[in-house]
Amino acid sequence: MTIEVALFYVFALVAVLGALGLLLNFRNLVAGAICLVATMVSLGAIYVLLGAYFLAAVQIMVYAGAIVVVFLFVIMLLNIRTDVFTPSQQLLFKIFGILIAGFVLFQFLTAIAGGLPAFPTTPDGFGGYRDIAGALFARGDAREGTQVVGDFILPFEIASLLLLAAIVGSVVLAKRRLE
Amino acid sequence: MNGLEALDLSVLAPLLFVSGGSLLVLLGEVLLSHRATFLGKATSPSWIGTVLSFVSILFLALAFFSAIFPFGEGTTKVFHATSPMLVLDPLANFAIALLTLAGIFVCLMSVTYLAEMDIHHGEYYALLLLATAGMMVLVAATDLMTLFLGIELMSIPIYVMAGFDRKKLRSNESALKYLIVGGFASAILLYGMALLYGATGHTDFTEIRSALASGNPPFAAAGALALFGFALIVVGLAFKVSTVPFHQWTPDVYEGAPTPVAAYMSVCVKAAAFVALLRFLGVTLESFADRLHSLFWILALLTMTVGNVMALIQENVKRMLAYSSIAHAGYLLIALVIGTPEAYSAMLFYLVVYLFMNLGAFGVMAALASRGEEFDTLDQFAGLAKARPALALVMTLFMFALAGIPGTGGFIAKFTLFASAVNAGQVWLVIFAVLNSLVSVFYYLRLPVAMYMKTSARTPARVDLGSGESLVLIACAAAVLFLGFFPSGLDVFFLKSADVLAWTKFAITALVFGAA
């Protein structure tokens, strides 16, 4: 078994377990959303194994990042339940949160203080956060971009009509008063 | 890089007309409702609604004509030379003409109904146009991607339209139920598509067909995977056309949805999904024709039997028509069991007749609804012949047509469909179908019996008939009679070329056929 196959099984297992966790988690919606993150991240990892780096990055940024964060916001705004976590747990979370935020801030500040790095000479590989976009597109993965406006332009445009229909529809149903 | 020069944008003409129309309607609603007067007229909500319905009818008519003219030429145009995505062949043009005509009728019957229900908002027409655009994509799709997007673009506006009467609990229930069941169906459909793609490596219908027919599958289990994918796709579409056992949502959704929306769902969603099934199976199905054959046989038998038996015990006319639409889906499935060009053209003819008779029946109910009250129980229909003789007469005609009584289009439709099945050797299925039609006569005749032979102290609250409604009812009644007596056209001036039977045969010719 090569390392790729082994990694595939690991991530596939995590994806399935995350999906099951989301399904079976009736009580705690937030934990369910975290399970969803696990599934989304492992799907992203599987995309990397398939060689679709651009798709993997989009998967992590859009699904695991943006969409799940919106989910969490909605859950927390609509369903404010203080009994999920005890006050001492909440205090623990706050301390953890402040520590992590402080660490990230420290990293940023040291990076800025040391001067912004020049772009790396080798665009190949994930050298770091600096050149992620360059790495993605230099590997020939620009084809996803051209396909969207080439072969798949029609599905792309139909999808935009679909989103329009969904927006109009949700406004019609949810608007407080129609005159 | 694939340049845009490979694209044939004229394929999109009907689609652009309706989607552009929907944007204009959305814009018009906003612009008109912010002014007290427009061109010297006071802008009441109901006036705005009427204007916007005319705008929608105009754009639907443009799409209708843009589909009719190429139909006569019999040309086949694809959107993209190497990955077609959409094809505008005679079948697609025929289906688009059918769907836009139904859309025009639904707009016409909605004007007075929505005003009576006090839900006359412009967004209704915008959603209707968007749903029609989705149906156009669906009937022209030659790729799993466009097929799926078409289904979603069709379904999402209809989920909302089903719940358009927001004050009514039933309407809310209808929308929610349809949304959940529809989402479930889409997930199953998508899973089937993923498996089929995994098995063949293609999303284009003809590529899938040649991959399956090539005899050297990419891996050992590809055949089983493809078969499973086919089955799941059929199940997903079966939810949309509501065949048994995927029909449970239909009566509740039709009962709760505003009457014109229920009419639109029963006619257009069904027609679009059946044409999509026809194209998908007609093109891709070669290796599996014999295996899926028995699946369709059982689905057809179950669907018509359960639909008809359940319709017998309904007291609500909308629920009864919902079960009747399930039964009609069962008859239409016979064509998919047989899979010959003759059966497919009989199915198209059936869809044409079904459009007129079912829209007519729902149209009568919409024309009787008043001041927020639906007119949909058998009790309400008692003694209607005295109070509203004309409406009772056309309703009786539509019921006769749905039952398939000779002299109406319903009879010719059933006859051509069953005859094609007998020609293909499916005698037992036809025997069951005819027995089912006999059962259906009983419940269809309950309505005329109630209208003509019972008396009621109550009279319907509405005494006037909107001009749009009367236009729809007259057109539907005339078409049902015309198709009943002259399905091959009539030798007087413009009706000479109105040979609907020949049109349906012509529409099928360009399809690629497998075993047939």
Side-chain angles (χ1 to χ4, degrees), chain B residues 73-158:
Chain B
E73 295 158 15
T75 49
T76 297
K77 287 195 280 191
V78 293
F79 175 68
H80 189 295
T82 49
S83 60
M85 296 291 169
L86 285 188
V87 62
L88 214 57
D89 60 355
L91 176 63
N93 280 319
F94 185 86
I96 288 173
L98 189 78
L99 294 169
T100 44
L101 188 66
I104 291 171
F105 282 1
V106 171
C107 282
L108 282 172
M109 73 163 88
S110 298
V111 177
T112 321
Y113 176 88
L114 293 182
E116 284 285 338
M117 292 292 171
D118 198 21
I119 46 171
H120 210 177
H121 311 302
E123 290 90 350
Y124 176 88
Y125 299 104
L127 290 169
L128 187 108
L129 288 171
L130 280 173
T132 311
M135 291 166 184
M136 289 176 178
V137 174
L138 188 55
V139 297
T142 60
D143 195 287
L144 292 179
M145 266 188 282
T146 37
L147 181 71
F148 181 73
L149 284 169
I151 285 192
E152 288 302 293
L153 184 53
M154 167 181 88
S155 304
I156 285 180
I158 293 181

Side-chain angles (χ1 to χ4, degrees), chain B residues 105 108 356 398 469-482:
Chain B
F105 282 1
L108 282 172
F356 292 117
F398 296 134
E469 284 159 345
S470 41
L471 195 62
V472 170
L473 293 180
I474 291 168
C476 286
V480 164
L481 284 175
F482 180 77

Side-chain angles (χ1 to χ4, degrees), chain A residues 146 149-155 158-159 161-162 164-166 168-179, chain B residues 2 4 7 12 19 23 26 79-80 83 85-86 121 123 127 130 137 145 149 152-153 156-157 160 163-164 166:
Chain A
T146 52
V149 290
D151 290 352
F152 300 123
I153 184 153
L154 189 65
I158 297 171
L161 267 187
L162 183 65
L164 173 73
V168 173
S170 51
V171 169
V172 166
L173 285 185
K175 201 170 154 191
R176 230 167 263 274
R177 205 166 57 88
L178 285 170
E179 69 238 57
Chain B
N2 281 297
L4 293 177
L7 307 182
L12 301 182
S19 42
L23 296 179
L26 279 178
F79 175 68
H80 189 295
S83 60
M85 296 291 169
L86 285 188
H121 311 302
E123 290 90 350
L127 290 169
L130 280 173
V137 174
M145 266 188 282
L149 284 169
E152 288 302 293
L153 184 53
I156 285 180
V160 180
F164 210 77
R166 301 190 308 172

